[in-house]
Amino acid sequence: MRTYEQDAKTLELPWPFTGREGELELVRGASATGRPGIVVTGPAGRGKTRLITEAVRGAEHARVTGTPEARHLPLAAFAHLLDGTGSLHGAVRALSGVRLLVVDDAHLLDEASAALVHQLAVHGRTRLVVAATDGVPAPGAVSRLWTGEVLPRLALAPLPAEDTAELLAWAALEPLTVRRLHQLCRGDLRLLRDLVTELVAGGRLVAVPGTGERAWRGPLPVTPAVRERLAPVRARTGPGEREILERLAFAEPAPLPLSGFDPTGLDGSDPTGLDLPGSGLPGSHLAASELDALERLETDGLIVVGDDGAVALADPLHGPALRATTGRLRARRLTGGPDRLGAALDAEQRHLLRRMAELDVRPAPTTVGDWLVAEGGPLPAGYAAVRARFARLRGEVRDAAAWAREGLRREPGHAGCGAELALARAESDEPGHVGPDGDDDYARRIAVRLGLTAGPLPPGSVFARHAEALARRDGAALDRAAVALEERGFLLFAAEAHAQAVRAHRDPRAARRSRTRALALARRCPGARTPVLAGLVLGELTARQRQIVALAASGLSNREIAERLTLSVRTVGNHLYSAYTRLGTGDRGALPCLVGETA
């Protein structure tokens, strides 16, 4: 879903409302006639206000907002609706004509306003859509809305990576930059907007040749939102606490081992304290004050300690922010330079190669490579080729192409990166109509995509079982192969197996289930285009539905489609609803993956 109407409190043009289809329908359903309403909770910046605004758009409603300045004034949030009514009973009676009430920032309401909201919810004549921020004190009457089960509660999860990519499509950012922003912001959309605005305005984005995309490499811009997130670190005044946090920041991407932790940096060892192969760190013992400081930081959620005793910063934003705000002389003392990461990078590469040889591409820790590419450090082309291949096998074809280009930027003409770039392009090209796959041809294509250019598929492997099920046109076996492929991280292959099962099933219900699963998996492989998936959607629809679905897949809103086809918005919505019913899915975001339109 993508709409561009501006909301004064939240994102401004050209930021779209993206994703959240399930949550949007849940809020709309809960606020429909005959329903009591809903409470939407989540951390600050998660997008609660924007979600609610989209959900009630076009419906007649009143809105009140809690503010810190007025939280000590009785009924201050309702002043514009009550015309001087002073009692709670009178306020409930005065608002009896309001059928839908949106309450934003309910945690900031004064006690009288909070009590009024609770009474309206209990009274039941007014449907309530309430937004409240997690982790901050709220009036008891507000928190009892969900703890007392007066209203259902929707805890808003972070925006998934694929939806973050769609949200940032207007900025034409390359995939590695999008992934970096997603990891830094952890669902804080206000921080995301702040960072991207500064990157664009500050000229920190560089063009990626031949793609029309832009990349961000180098330090984090210190924006007001970044400083706000850094406030808990800046507030540390305990003995050694600030020093520990800075040391951890300059030790990234590797954690510090407790056995060799020396907050002073004066024990004669590598000042980064990195526990890397060949570092030769001598062991040392923690002083009582140092251990106390570590315990306080862990209790306050600023550091995490692994099972192996390794210590790292808990918030992925804190490390880059601390490095960006540390003076040059202090940074020179704390940093060890990018060369210190060579052994760890080699180990990371070997681990990925071993996983691919074992036909297992589930997510693997790649902190060193991610850190180097983000900071603009020296990234070997051979490592980039391995990362490209690993990403491509996972179905992350855009990431694969980005890693290959990164390697070619460092070493033009590198054969491995060139080959991976070609394969990533082949799996992201817009395909034409194709007939059923020839079994031998499909098996050969699998082998090429896996890097097995000669010889059959490994006997007994999940890929061999997949090819055998396809040869028998066994829909149930294809679905089982898809599940096994997904479990091993081969998301695009799994989507293809489910798509093949659609054509093999004789039971229409089984075919719809397979199609739904194919759609969901393809959604997790942005930009992927393969012959197996081509035409899976459009072939099941009427001519008008195919036309409207194709336009929806290209990113047009219902209103834009209506204007282009001279239809009413309601008619467009009805056609899409019928199409979704036939396809067994309501996931608009998955359509580009299967229709073959440009995402």
Side-chain angles (χ1 to χ4, degrees), residues 349-371:
Q349 180 174 335
R350 289 193 300 271
H351 178 68
L352 294 178
L353 287 170
R354 182 171 63 253
R355 290 279 296 276
M356 288 187 285
E358 296 169 351
L359 297 181
D360 181 357
V361 293
R362 288 171 294 178
T366 52
T367 53
V368 180
D370 293 342
W371 188 88

Side-chain angles (χ1 to χ4, degrees), residues 22-23 64 156 172 208 273 277 304 314 347 363-364 381 389 518 545 561:
E23 295 95 330
V64 298
L156 205 57
V208 180
V304 290
R389 183 183 172 199
Q545 287 170 347
I561 295 171

Side-chain angles (χ1 to χ4, degrees), residues 467-484:
E468 291 165 4
L470 179 62
R472 299 194 309 268
R473 294 294 176 186
D474 186 333
L478 284 166
D479 282 332
R480 289 194 297 270
V483 171

